[in-house]
Amino acid sequence: MARKYYDQLYKLLLIGDSAVGKTSLLLRFSDDLFTPVLGATIGIDFKIKTIEMGGQKVKLQIWDTAGQERFETITTSYYRGSDGILLVYDITNPTSFQNVEKWLRYIQQYADDQVEKVLVGNKCDLVDMRNVSKERGQEIAQHFGIRFIETSAKANLNVDKAFFDMAEILLKRSAQRKAAETVKIKKGRRKNTKSKCC
Ligand code: GTP
């Protein structure tokens, strides 16, 4: 029988406009690589990375979706069943920021209600080309009640943090659910014991 070599498995999804750096963030996180010239993702791709957190082995299955509109039918079919979604825009590209609301609508439409979300402003190494202030990113994230982080796949800024923070939240949620289930089971047992008596 195959050995299970992880304690928790989470499915994560990277979404956002084309060329905002989704594949680059994934490559940086999984293989510590950055490639200046990358072809656009065709459809969908994934990578696996197992991390240690709180004494547990956490396996992250990370799906990288194509940002081009022509792939939306395929990519949105992967939203269901995701535990966490990283919605990425490019801080030098205002259109990618304007489209954040469109991506949030897709999440609402296609993902599970309890999916964890984080808004990621990527390419923060391009200081002179910035077109979306950090404050605007923070504001929209706050407005929609989601977390926010700025990253650079190129300069390796906050990339691990974006994924680790997501994993930490999911782990906490799993622990809370487990605790709630244990309480339920205990209550159920007590009930059964009572009914057998007298
Ligand atoms: P699609 O596959 O079309 O959805 O694009 P994507 O969002 O996966 O973007 P991709 O990772 O292919 O990156 C697009 C371009 O931006 C590439 O030329 C990358 O090298 C560049 N890029 C990605 N992240 C960064 C970054 O943090 N800083 C800078 N300066 N360039 C970046």
Side-chain angles (χ1 to χ4, degrees):
M1 207 168 85
R3 258 182 70 204
K4 186 181 155 198
Y5 54 93
Y6 57 87
D7 302 300
Q8 297 286 346
L9 168 69
Y10 296 121
K11 178 181 163 189
L12 306 184
L13 203 64
L14 284 155
I15 66 169
D17 277 14
S18 185
V20 295
K22 299 180 294 296
T23 305
S24 303
L25 286 167
L26 182 53
L27 275 178
R28 174 61 83 189
F29 180 60
S30 61
D31 302 320
D32 199 14
L33 282 177
F34 179 77
T35 316
V37 185
L38 265 178
T41 304
I42 306 293
I44 191 138
D45 201 359
F46 80 94
K47 279 190 177 281
I48 301 252
K49 177 147 173 158
T50 305
I51 59 172
E52 287 271 344
M53 192 170 264
Q56 299 197 64
K57 279 198 165 41
V58 183
K59 184 172 175 176
L60 301 175
Q61 187 187 68
I62 311 165
W63 293 84
D64 173 26
T65 62
Q68 290 177 11
E69 262 182 48
R70 64 192 171 113
F71 295 114
E72 279 178 7
T73 313
I74 303 174
T75 54
T76 49
S77 70
Y78 282 80
Y79 286 33
R80 185 87 47 223
S82 294
D83 298 294
I85 296 183
L86 295 101
L87 195 180
V88 188
Y89 68 90
D90 171 353
I91 64 139
T92 72
N93 177 348
T95 308
S96 74
F97 183 67
Q98 281 155 21
N99 282 335
V100 163
E101 292 200 30
K102 176 192 92 171
W103 293 109
L104 285 168
R105 275 199 306 277
Y106 284 178
I107 295 176
Q108 204 176 18
Q109 205 174 335
Y110 299 107
D112 300 329
D113 289 344
Q114 67 278 19
V115 69
E116 286 296 334
K117 291 158 277 194
V118 60
L119 180 64
V120 181
N122 189 39
K123 306 197 187 180
C124 71
D125 58 289
L126 297 173
V127 180
D128 297 337
M129 290 167 70
R130 183 188 277 273
N131 255 308
V132 182
S133 70
K134 195 172 179 177
E135 289 70 32
R136 286 182 70 199
Q138 277 163 339
E139 268 167 31
I140 195 168
Q142 208 173 358
H143 179 76
F144 286 99
I146 60 178
R147 285 168 309 113
F148 172 72
I149 192 165
E150 283 198 346
T151 58
S152 166
K154 184 175 182 181
N156 197 9
L157 289 170
N158 277 345
V159 179
D160 280 1
K161 185 168 169 38
F163 288 96
F164 272 77
D165 282 0
M166 174 66 88
E168 195 179 7
I169 284 175
L170 293 172
L171 265 181
K172 274 189 192 149
R173 208 173 68 176
S174 298
Q176 280 165 359
R177 278 187 190 157
K178 207 173 164 188
E181 274 166 25
T182 312
V183 171
K184 240 190 203 170
I185 291 169
K186 278 186 182 162
K187 275 186 183 164
R189 273 197 203 132
R190 255 186 250 143
K191 240 187 191 173
N192 287 344
T193 322
K194 271 185 197 163
S195 64
K196 276 180 202 156
C197 166
C198 313

